[in-house]
Amino acid sequence: MEEIKKIGILTSGGDAPGMNAAIRAVVRAGIHEGFDVFGIRRGYMGMIEGDIIPLTSQLVSGIIQKGGTILQTARCKEFMSYEGRKKAYDELVRFGIQAVIVIGGDGSFTGASIMTKEFDIPFIGIPGTIDNDLFGTDYTIGYDTALNTVVEAVDKIRDTASSHGRIFFVEVMGKEAGFVALRSGIACGAEGILVPEEKGQMEKLRKYLAERARSKKSSIILVAEGDEEGGAIPIARIIRNEFPELDIRTTILGHIQRGGSPSAFDRVTASRMGAAAIDALLDDQKSIMIGMVNNEIVHVPLSKTVKLHKDLDFDLLKLAEILI
Ligand code: F6P
């Protein structure tokens, strides 16, 4: 394989706090190893349009603490077609880019995995999503910051809930997974955590509410947006009908979970993964994701991380129930 001298980096899918720390690490570790590093703006959309800029150490100065992504991101339907990926490949060739590092989630890695096979160009994935739903890694960049954002918001909701003796259904992000709901629920001392991975949770909730109805203390029920009942609003409606005596409110946390200055954990994880992506290219890796398992950097084939499902930690879910 020809020696790699020029590499591209892009951010794709939903943005996540810590993406900038990863960009900074890729640029500075890449320059340290003698690479020319190019920023591909707006994800695969920018790759197709040739929206590509050279990145320098100076350009990534002062970004480690910034949420979001200086390269911007986008979801790109055109990249899902061969014609779109061919246009993207032609632009990479035009800039002389010989390998690409993509920071994103499973959707972004699916496209990368296909493009590596079609055009024999190395793609190295860095897991960047607040959902933490990627197979092969304990943590994705942004997850820890999102947990802290949820905890801070729910602690505030707890103040007003306890003042009024109310029940709050609080919906958190996570796509079809319950990773955000589970750990933030434990951290907030939630009285209920509804996740897509567990069936029959409504019965448990009804039993809890029937028992607590007499106490009139506040309750926080965290609901993962992908929950089987469809989220906090439909669940609150069902419960309101069945327990008319309860004082119920709902809060959808939404996109505040995607913003904010990344936590120290996310900054260090992103820095480690960014540097590990450069090492992977030096090691002639072609189609892998950089993961972290038991605090060690691992390589996971992209084909596996996009295909295999990451299981929720059911011991943690059981702990949450015990601690209510
Ligand atoms: O994948 C990250 C995520 O925040 C999910 O948790 C959420 O369901 C989705 O992105 C929201 O997508 P958008 O920002 O396009 O509304």
Side-chain angles (χ1 to χ4, degrees), residues 14-15 75 129-131 173-175 225 255 258:
D15 66 314
R75 292 188 166 92
T129 169
I130 66 166
D131 301 338
M173 284 184 161
K175 242 171 14 191
E225 63 178 339
H255 284 69
R258 289 259 289 272

Side-chain angles (χ1 to χ4, degrees), residues 52-106:
I52 299 173
I53 54 170
L55 291 177
T56 64
S57 182
Q58 188 55 35
L59 277 174
V60 296
S61 172
I63 68 169
I64 194 169
Q65 75 279 12
K66 290 187 188 320
T69 159
I70 60 167
L71 291 176
Q72 293 194 294
T73 178
R75 292 188 166 92
C76 180
K77 279 206 174 28
E78 192 179 358
F79 192 76
M80 293 162 82
S81 70
Y82 173 79
E83 294 69 22
R85 290 190 294 272
K86 178 68 171 69
K87 275 189 205 167
Y89 178 68
D90 290 345
E91 287 303 312
L92 294 178
V93 170
R94 190 160 73 84
F95 281 85
I97 291 171
Q98 300 155 290
V100 178
I101 294 171
V102 50
I103 306 172
D106 53 356

Side-chain angles (χ1 to χ4, degrees), residues 247-320:
D247 193 359
I248 292 171
R249 295 294 187 274
T250 53
T251 300
I252 311 282
L253 291 184
H255 284 69
I256 64 164
Q257 297 163 90
R258 289 259 289 272
S261 179
S263 65
F265 180 84
D266 272 336
R267 296 181 198 192
V268 174
T269 301
S271 300
R272 290 181 64 192
M273 288 183 168
I278 296 296
D279 292 343
L281 287 176
L282 293 170
D283 183 36
D284 286 344
Q285 296 294 330
K286 294 191 72 152
S287 184
I288 56 133
M289 174 191 81
I290 301 294
M292 194 165 76
V293 175
N294 300 329
N295 202 33
E296 295 291 325
I297 292 289
V298 296
H299 291 174
V300 187
L302 283 180
S303 55
K304 272 180 84 171
T305 194
V306 298
K307 194 167 59 192
L308 299 179
H309 176 76
K310 179 176 179 179
D311 290 331
L312 198 67
D313 182 341
F314 282 93
D315 291 340
L316 218 46
L317 198 58
K318 188 161 178 41
L319 171 66

